[in-house]
């Protein structure tokens, strides 16, 4: 009889990243060279993701512009890759703007989103970058700041579309009359490009309703004598973390059972992950539900473009956009960096707590690998320093290095293939989107982990250099930064 498999959350891993990790050296070589912990980014995976989104748009002969949403990761290597690939970039701060400019983006390829204060608007007025305005005040200030210069290209973000989630961003639909007033009165100063939305949820129906609302607004704009030529559908295209949806579901079932006191405990410190326990049952949607997604971003985009629009005789969004000569703009962030980043940490020690739980203590903290403190539901990979004598799966919690009770990297139990030992490495998969850069604090004065770019070169195997030195054309890569003896397997 074989023992039952412990619950697991296997991660999807890009073949290039897998080849890097399973080759000689791999994570261990990088840590020996650059220290632990470290964030690794794979610009070629970014380029791969971009190709897939482009293929969807090109198959439909859409006019389009992809603006990489910079805020998903600070990496210069990703920004350089976006620039090299000829796409646009979406920046949301003066620092992101400087990063984009520094990586070679001309202002005409930069779109500025997010809430902008007075100083940022002043700085933007002379650049010629498209300003995606958040509110009527911003729109008014843009018109004033334009002065005697060329009209400023402007998109207007809207919200409050029936059937879409509440948002703090954008102009509510029922206030759009004020927008039309400013746009028509200030044609000399504002070059109105079109309407925009951005919806965070992965719900296809919500995005479709927003498209319909923006098409209606576009028609109203024509009636006002304006000439919008863009419809900006924002980002929010989802990632696929799990390699095995059935295993994910089985894990969640086991977790729910454990919350009711059945089977092995699977939650640290009384955590319920957003579930409600009530009368011997578990209700609600867990905070980590996005990790269950199995629909890739390119399919989400294809489905949206192919969706029939009721108000347009059932013609698809792609057709309606083409007939109206509308350029579809997208602002993908996480979809472009999906599987293009990992984080490596080292096991410092393993200990038992009073309740018998096993804590694997690592040399990084929770905020280094979690997005806005969400629970990350994919198993890390254990890279042992030496093969274990007697491998037997062990359920553990991964603990961070801060002396704060809450610094648990996983509040859910993770089954590792065997008990780790000090010096083993732990690899967190798919940390490129928000996980590695959104909330990393510097509590306890630890330095931020270095960020390294990893790429594969035909004939030379995998190479590694500091993120800021990466160049998309491999021959321009930093001399001598290669990981020796490292091939694809
Ligand atoms: C954050 C953001 C994006 C990117 O979102 P993803 O979910 O990472 O694709 C795009 N547009 C705007 C306006 C944003 O704020």
């Amino acid at each position: 009889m074989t023992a039952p498999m412990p619950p697991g959350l296997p991660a999807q891993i890009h073949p290039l990243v897998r080849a890097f990790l399973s080759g000689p050296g791999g994570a261990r070589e990088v840590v020996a060279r650059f220290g632990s912990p470290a964030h690794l980014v794979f610009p070629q995976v970014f380029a791969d993701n971009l190709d897939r989104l482009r293929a969807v748009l090109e198959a439909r002969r859409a006019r389009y512009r992809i603006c990489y949403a910079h805020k998903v990761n600070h990496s210069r290597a990703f920004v350089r890759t976006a620039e090299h690939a000829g796409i646009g970039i979406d920046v949301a701060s003066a620092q992101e703007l400087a990063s984009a400019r520094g990586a070679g983006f001309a202002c005409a390829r930069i779109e500025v989103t997010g809430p902008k204060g007075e100083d940022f608007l002043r700085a933007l007025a002379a650049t010629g970058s498209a300003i995606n305005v958040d509110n009527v005040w911003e729109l008014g200030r843009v018109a004033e700041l334009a002065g005697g210069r060329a009209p400023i290209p402007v998109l207007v973000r809207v919200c409050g579309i029936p059937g879409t989630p509440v948002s703090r961003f954008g102009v509510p639909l029922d206030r759009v009359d004020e927008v039309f007033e400013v746009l028509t009165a200030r044609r000399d100063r504002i070059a109105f490009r079109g309407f925009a939305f951005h919806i965070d949820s992965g719900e296809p129906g919500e995005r479709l309703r927003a498209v319909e609302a923006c098409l209606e607004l576009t028609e109203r704009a024509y009636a006002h004598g304006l000439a919008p030529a863009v419809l900006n559908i924002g980002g929010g295209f989802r990632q696929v973390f799990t390699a095995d949806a059935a295993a994910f579901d089985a894990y969640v079932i086991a977790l729910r059972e454990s919350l009711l006191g059945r089977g092995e405990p699977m939650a640290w410190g009384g955590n319920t992950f957003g579930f409600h326990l009530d009368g011997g049952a578990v209700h609600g949607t867990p905070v980590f539900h996005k990790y269950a997604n199995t629909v890739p971003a390119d399919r989400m985009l294809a489905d949206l473009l192919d969706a029939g629009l009721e108000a347009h005789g059932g013609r698809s969004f792609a057709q309606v956009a083409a007939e109206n000569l509308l350029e579809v703009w997208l602002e993908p962030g996480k979809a472009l960096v999906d599987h293009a980043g990992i984080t490596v940490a080292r096991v410092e020690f393993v200990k038992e707590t009073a309740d018998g739980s096993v804590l694997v203590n690592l040399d990084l903290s929770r905020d280094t690998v979690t997005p806005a403190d969400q629970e990350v539901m994919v198993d890390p990979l254990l890279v042992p320093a030496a093969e274990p004598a007697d491998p037997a799966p062990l359920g553990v919690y991964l603990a961070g290095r801060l002396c704060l009770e809450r610094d648990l990297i996983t509040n859910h139990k993770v089954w590792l293939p065997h008990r780790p030992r000090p010096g083993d490495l732990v690899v967190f998969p798919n940390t490129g989107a928000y996980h590695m850069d959104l909330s990393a604090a510097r509590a306890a004065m630890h330095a931020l982990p270095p960020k390294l770019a990893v790429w594969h070169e035909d004939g030379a195997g995998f190479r590694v250099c500091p993120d800021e030195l990466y160049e998309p054309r491999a021959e321009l890569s930093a001399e001598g930064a290669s990981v020796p003896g490292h091939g694809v397997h």
Side-chain angles (χ1 to χ4, degrees), residues 43 105 164 291 392 487:
F105 274 97
T164 65
Y291 291 94

Side-chain angles (χ1 to χ4, degrees), residues 69 71-72 90 113-114 157 198 200 234-237 331-335 434:
K71 80 161 184 276
V72 72
D90 155 12
T113 63
R157 178 165 172 181
H198 168 67
D200 237 348
F237 298 94
E331 300 159 348
K334 59 188 181 243
Y434 304 111

Side-chain angles (χ1 to χ4, degrees), residues 23-40:
R28 186 153 296 289
E29 193 80 46
V30 167
V31 163
R33 199 183 158 96
F34 296 97
S36 169
H39 295 302
L40 276 53

Side-chain angles (χ1 to χ4, degrees), residues 57-145:
L57 291 149
E58 264 148 38
R60 286 155 187 81
R61 305 223 159 111
R63 296 159 175 255
Y64 69 92
R65 176 185 288 197
I66 296 176
C67 298
Y68 165 50
H70 192 336
K71 80 161 184 276
V72 72
N73 197 299
H74 299 173
S75 165
R76 183 176 189 278
F78 288 157
V79 176
R80 276 296 301 133
T81 302
E83 195 284 321
H84 185 70
I87 62 170
I89 190 163
D90 155 12
V91 301
S93 70
Q95 290 73 13
E96 287 182 5
L97 175 64
S99 160
R101 297 284 291 131
F105 274 97
C107 287
R109 276 165 69 197
I110 299 175
E111 181 206 4
V112 188
T113 63
K116 306 152 209 75
E118 176 72 20
D119 291 349
F120 194 25
L121 283 176
R122 276 181 186 278
L124 291 174
T127 60
S129 293
I131 303 181
N132 185 336
V133 304
D134 172 73
N135 57 66
V136 177
W137 172 81
E138 261 185 30
L139 185 62
R141 282 305 286 145
V142 169
E144 286 158 12
L145 291 167

